[in-house]
Amino acid sequence: MSNPTLKQAPFLSRLSRRQFLKIAGASTFAAAAGVATGAPASATRGTTPAMAKHVAKPLDGQELNIFTGNHHDKYVRDLVIPMFQDKTGAKVNYTSIGGGDIDAKYAVFVASQDGSQDVLYSWETLNAKYGRTLMEDITTSFPAKTLQGIAPVTVKAFTFLGKRYGIPFDSNIFIMMYNKDLYKAAGLDPEKPPQTWKEFIAYSKKLTKAGQYATLFTLGDGNASFATFASMFNSTGSLLYNADLTKFSVDNEAGLMTMNAINDAITKDKVVDPTGLPLVSSIEQGKVFRAGKFAHYIAAPNHYTLAQDSTQSQVVGKVGMSIIPGLKLRSGSLGLFEGYGINKYSKNKVAALAFLDFMVSPEVQKNVVAINWGRPPSRLATYDDPDVQKASPQFAVVKQQAKFPAPRYGSPFYFDVGTVFSNYMNKMVKGEKTPKAAVTGIQADAQKLVDAYWAKVKK
Amino acid sequence: MAFPTVSQRFQRMDEGRFGLLLMAPTIIILTVFLVGPILYAIWMSLNSMDLTISPDADFVGVQNYVQLVDDPAVQDAVPRTLYFAGLTVVFSTAMALLLALVLNESFRGRKWVRVFILLPWAVAPVVNGVLWRYMFHPQYGLINAALYALGLIKEYRVWLDNAAVSLAIASVASTWKALPFLALILLAALQSIPESLYRAAKMDGAGAWSRFRFVVLPHLRGILIFVVLLQIIVSLQAFDLIYTLTRGGPGTDTVVLNYLVYVNAFERLNLGNAAAMGILLALFIVGLSGLSLAFAVSRRR
């Protein structure tokens, strides 16, 4: 069964590209007006009921279904969607589930060629994994003008084998946060965080004492293990894959250096809390950091915003930030960009595209993504906004961190490769494998998975 | 010409056709929701269906079944599944028998205890997994807190970090949930043993162990076999508990067969392979169920 592409969609006769551009233009204009007058976000959409009666909105009468992870509820459901409805006249139905269950749901969408959900949550691996079968290719349909303002590295992450399957609304990358009180208690200068991995370990040793460890690594599942490894590996300046993701390379000097560093920190220097190893989610780690239980926290910058919320944090005003100390380079990190794509079976692709455009509009990027959420926005101009700089001081560190490598290596085989890492790394920290045996084993098993995928594609 | 009323038509209908009519709703529902999906699963297992490549199916015959034999993930999952099933069967049967024997004795508050022990049975399987996961949480868990408070451990430890311990904990969690049901079945069987047999054994000088060995156990043999088979079947189907307790980790250390079916279907999106694995597992379980039924029938005779 063939499905309409954006160009062939029958509803394009009813809602032209010109109308679509109007929607995009309206959001840009509204935000600009808000900035110029200093009016709060809500005021930019403050039409009176009488005016609303006379102003036809571009998506009046249309219904848009958005499907996403429930970590977006507080921001996308509660803040973005009311703005979008108000601006476009569309009625939005929002559905969210646990992030871990997204894959299962998408599998059902593909198998049943279900187009009931128009807009789909996405990130690098979901783009790559579902690019062929679920996500609409928006390489040519998404407005090039909007794209120009978005951080190129994030757009690249939403592009797989030359095709773009979604638009990132953030440019989230790991930075390092640290507890200044624990620094002081350990006799360390809270204004001088470590610059190298060697210093990081030296600091961590001073921060580790009876009943308290300096930091937390997570090896709880494939995703967590891979993130722990890759964020450090990226600071060696090497790459885990070649450009077309056909060759995987970890059994080398950089891979061994990274694996040794992880193993030593856990088993030799003993600065990593062993009870944190089985954790899988940043939500769990963040809670421990916000309880003031460890000093060095390598995490996404929105955790800084959470750490300043006195209703859920005991470290308000005590958190310092810096770029992550690197193994070979000064630093390295991991990109965790999130965004939205369009269901290729959707019958409402123009409205879906309008939503993607709206998510990266100046208004949403500033007020929701940057200020409320504390995520580094994907629209670069947002960083220069004084309100944003004041509300989210972590973005200054993000800008510095972004100068260093942070590829996440999203791919259709991302989770399987992650599981291979988890298998070997867990055995290594239990003393069942040496770091060298771990990288050799990972190399062999991961390359098999990569080869198997591409063999299937060729077939 | 006068047409017969609906009531007259029913009255004229022969018994066979009337019976079929009454069964029709059930047959339709079963066909749509049970037979249909089973046939679809069999069809999927005979096709290459990798949803990361294409949403379309490509007929490959028994290739998916043949590939399972060489699949290292299956080879690793089989011993884990058997280990988990073995532990669960032994724990649950032994504990259920012990509980049934206690509940069969007369003591004050016995009725309340019988009601109270039903509580775990009322807990949803997913809730059970989450409950035990939090009990063994390395940082906030009740187990670490209790052992630390009692001075039995010097620092909090990770419980779910290796296959043997994690699967043993999963087995305890499974046992805790199944215990009330199994104990009630055994209690019913115990209560069907005539009191005169106990009295006769006592008169012959039999002690408690001898009464258990020569009176209770022979009488319970049939139901015990049924309980064992039932627990084997339930253990082989384990998914929800593993999903909520360990998610198959660390690494793939606690991936059992049914969990692997889920991973292949919903993480790897390889529906053909997952369907083949599911069909084989289902056939094995159906075989055991048949065996269990045969024992139950023979016991009744």
Side-chain angles (χ1 to χ4, degrees):
Chain A
M1 184 186 132
S2 66
N3 282 278
T5 64
L6 276 167
K7 284 179 183 169
Q8 298 160 335
F11 43 78
L12 270 182
S13 57
R14 283 183 277 123
L15 188 69
S16 67
R17 279 187 179 223
R18 188 179 297 171
Q19 282 174 299
F20 167 71
L21 289 172
K22 268 189 191 173
I23 303 164
S27 62
T28 310
F29 172 77
V35 170
T37 59
S42 57
T44 62
R45 53 185 207 272
T47 48
T48 66
M51 283 168 68
K53 267 185 188 174
H54 300 291
V55 179
K57 293 181 178 175
L59 297 176
D60 269 340
Q62 294 217 32
E63 210 164 291
L64 185 68
N65 296 310
I66 296 175
F67 185 86
T68 186
N70 55 16
H71 62 295
H72 285 191
D73 288 358
K74 199 174 162 190
Y75 306 100
V76 176
R77 182 192 61 195
D78 298 348
L79 298 176
V80 177
I81 287 174
M83 292 160 76
F84 181 72
Q85 291 186 136
D86 197 20
K87 192 141 289 164
T88 64
K91 180 184 180 300
V92 176
N93 302 309
Y94 176 92
T95 308
S96 68
I97 59 172
D101 300 322
I102 293 264
D103 247 318
K105 196 69 184 171
Y106 284 7
V108 175
F109 288 160
V110 178
S112 56
Q113 306 194 4
D114 180 354
S116 61
Q117 297 295 333
D118 307 301
V119 174
L120 302 174
Y121 162 81
S122 195
W123 61 280
E124 201 172 334
T125 276
L126 293 185
N127 288 316
K129 193 169 176 180
Y130 295 97
R132 291 167 183 275
T133 53
L134 182 64
M135 297 293 189
E136 178 77 12
D137 174 9
I138 56 168
T139 313
T140 55
S141 56
F142 191 80
K145 199 179 168 190
T146 307
L147 216 53
Q148 280 170 6
I150 309 298
V153 66
T154 66
V155 176
K156 192 182 167 202
F158 276 62
T159 307
F160 183 63
L161 302 179
K163 290 180 178 173
R164 194 174 307 123
Y165 294 109
I167 295 297
F169 64 76
D170 71 12
S171 52
N172 227 6
I173 52 172
F174 281 159
I175 58 170
M176 188 178 87
M177 285 164 258
Y178 58 93
N179 185 318
K180 288 183 177 179
D181 272 7
L182 295 179
Y183 261 50
K184 283 180 203 161
L188 295 165
D189 183 348
E191 302 310 320
K192 285 186 181 169
Q195 306 287 303
T196 62
W197 187 255
K198 208 175 164 185
E199 274 184 26
F200 177 86
I201 293 297
Y203 277 46
S204 295
K205 282 180 178 171
K206 289 186 181 173
L207 288 158
T208 300
K209 56 186 183 186
Q212 184 166 306
Y213 290 89
T215 191
L216 209 65
F217 289 172
T218 56
L219 306 176
D221 64 4
N223 191 31
S225 302
F226 185 77
T228 298
F229 182 87
S231 58
M232 284 174 65
F233 179 85
N234 286 339
S235 75
T236 64
S238 298
L239 290 168
L240 273 177
Y241 288 92
N242 62 349
D244 58 3
L245 297 172
T246 53
K247 292 284 172 221
F248 174 83
S249 315
V250 77
D251 193 3
N252 50 33
E253 189 206 338
L256 189 57
M257 177 189 270
T258 310
M259 207 56 100
N260 273 324
I262 293 170
N263 191 48
D264 285 352
I266 297 171
T267 62
K268 194 176 118 198
D269 302 319
K270 297 188 189 298
V271 295
V272 179
D273 185 351
T275 64
L277 294 175
L279 301 185
V280 293
S281 81
S282 57
I283 296 169
E284 284 181 298
Q285 296 168 51
K287 279 181 188 167
V288 187
F289 179 70
R290 294 198 294 277
K293 290 191 174 176
F294 66 96
H296 288 140
Y297 184 33
I298 293 170
N302 60 306
H303 284 269
Y304 177 80
T305 304
L306 295 171
Q308 301 314 308
D309 177 355
S310 59
T311 62
Q312 53 179 315
S313 172
Q314 294 171 38
V315 293
V316 178
K318 298 172 184 173
V319 178
M321 288 175 287
S322 86
I323 60 172
I324 304 166
L327 284 170
K328 240 180 178 180
L329 305 176
R330 166 67 183 85
S331 189
S333 182
L334 195 72
L336 311 158
F337 321 131
E338 292 188 17
Y340 285 96
I342 298 174
N343 186 340
K344 72 193 292 184
Y345 304 109
S346 161
K347 299 277 188 285
N348 204 7
K349 288 174 187 165
V350 171
L353 201 60
F355 181 78
L356 265 55
D357 191 77
F358 188 69
M359 274 302 289
V360 291
S361 66
E363 183 183 10
V364 171
Q365 288 280 289
K366 175 185 171 176
N367 295 303
V368 181
V369 179
I371 293 179
N372 281 293
W373 211 337
R375 285 193 177 222
S378 59
R379 180 177 280 276
L380 290 168
T382 320
Y383 289 80
D384 300 327
D385 189 307
D387 294 341
V388 170
Q389 288 171 350
K390 194 179 166 194
S392 304
Q394 69 267 39
F395 294 169
V397 180
V398 170
K399 273 179 104 171
Q400 274 184 284
Q401 186 69 67
K403 292 175 186 163
F404 298 95
R408 195 175 186 181
Y409 310 101
S411 70
F413 32 82
Y414 175 88
F415 287 109
D416 276 345
V417 169
T419 303
V420 170
F421 271 88
S422 183
N423 266 333
Y424 281 97
M425 289 172 78
N426 275 289
K427 286 187 171 68
M428 178 184 76
V429 299
K430 279 186 267 182
E432 294 167 20
K433 298 258 179 212
T434 63
K436 173 63 184 161
V439 290
T440 306
I442 292 170
Q443 175 69 49
D445 289 3
Q447 186 63 52
K448 261 187 217 163
L449 292 166
V450 173
D451 291 343
Y453 175 78
W454 291 114
K456 275 191 293 186
V457 171
K458 277 182 193 161
K459 213 163 138 190
Chain B
M1 185 181 133
F3 289 101
T5 62
V6 174
S7 154
Q8 285 169 333
R9 281 187 183 183
F10 278 136
Q11 280 168 10
R12 287 178 199 167
M13 202 179 271
D14 66 66
E15 275 196 0
R17 289 179 70 183
F18 187 63
L20 269 178
L21 190 70
L22 291 178
M23 284 164 60
T26 309
I27 291 171
I28 291 168
I29 288 169
L30 283 178
T31 306
V32 172
F33 294 106
L34 194 69
V35 180
I38 288 173
L39 292 176
Y40 185 61
I42 292 170
W43 177 80
M44 280 199 296
S45 75
L46 300 172
N47 282 274
S48 169
M49 283 184 82
D50 188 331
L51 301 184
T52 61
I53 309 291
S54 161
D56 302 321
D58 185 18
F59 185 76
V60 291
V62 292
Q63 190 183 307
N64 285 323
Y65 291 91
V66 174
Q67 279 174 351
L68 289 181
V69 180
D70 296 326
D71 188 343
V74 175
Q75 289 165 1
D76 289 345
V78 168
R80 273 185 222 123
T81 309
L82 295 177
Y83 171 76
F84 171 72
L87 280 184
T88 307
V89 169
V90 172
F91 281 169
S92 57
T93 310
M95 292 297 293
L97 183 59
L98 192 68
L99 190 60
L101 288 168
V102 170
L103 293 177
N104 198 37
E105 295 299 315
S106 294
F107 57 89
R108 186 184 284 185
R110 185 172 71 163
K111 277 183 188 170
W112 286 106
V113 173
R114 282 182 181 179
V115 172
F116 189 70
I117 62 137
L118 282 174
L119 284 179
W121 196 25
V123 173
V126 170
V127 177
N128 185 35
V130 173
L131 195 81
W132 285 86
R133 180 184 166 86
Y134 276 99
M135 278 173 59
F136 282 95
H137 193 286
Q139 289 174 320
Y140 308 115
L142 179 72
I143 303 295
N144 267 342
L147 293 177
Y148 189 80
L150 292 169
L152 294 172
I153 52 173
K154 285 182 181 166
E155 59 179 12
Y156 281 19
R157 61 158 294 181
V158 180
W159 295 97
L160 300 168
D161 70 339
N162 74 71
V165 176
S166 298
L167 287 173
I169 290 171
S171 173
V172 170
S174 177
T175 297
W176 181 77
K177 169 115 182 68
L179 203 56
F181 175 66
L182 301 178
L184 282 184
I185 292 178
L186 291 170
L187 181 62
L190 278 174
Q191 291 183 338
S192 69
I193 300 174
E195 194 59 33
S196 56
L197 286 180
Y198 291 113
R199 281 201 299 269
K202 269 186 186 172
M203 284 171 68
D204 288 344
W209 170 248
S210 295
R211 289 201 299 277
F212 174 74
R213 171 78 181 79
F214 297 108
V215 177
V216 175
L217 220 46
H219 202 87
L220 289 185
R221 187 178 296 148
I223 201 73
L224 274 174
I225 289 168
F226 176 75
V227 164
V228 166
L229 283 170
L230 190 71
Q231 280 304 91
I232 291 173
I233 292 164
V234 169
S235 313
L236 291 175
Q237 290 176 318
F239 166 74
D240 37 23
L241 186 63
I242 300 294
Y243 183 83
T244 46
L245 193 67
T246 66
R247 284 230 169 193
T252 50
D253 279 0
T254 54
V255 170
V256 292
L257 280 171
N258 215 16
Y259 190 82
L260 192 58
V261 173
Y262 166 82
V263 170
N264 277 351
F266 295 110
E267 286 183 5
R268 294 187 183 137
L269 311 190
N270 194 341
L271 294 192
N273 179 288
M277 203 180 291
I279 296 289
L280 283 184
L281 192 60
L283 284 176
F284 187 58
I285 291 171
V286 165
L288 279 176
S289 304
L291 206 61
S292 148
L293 197 66
F295 270 114
V297 169
S298 68
R299 187 177 170 272
R300 202 174 294 162
R301 280 176 187 160

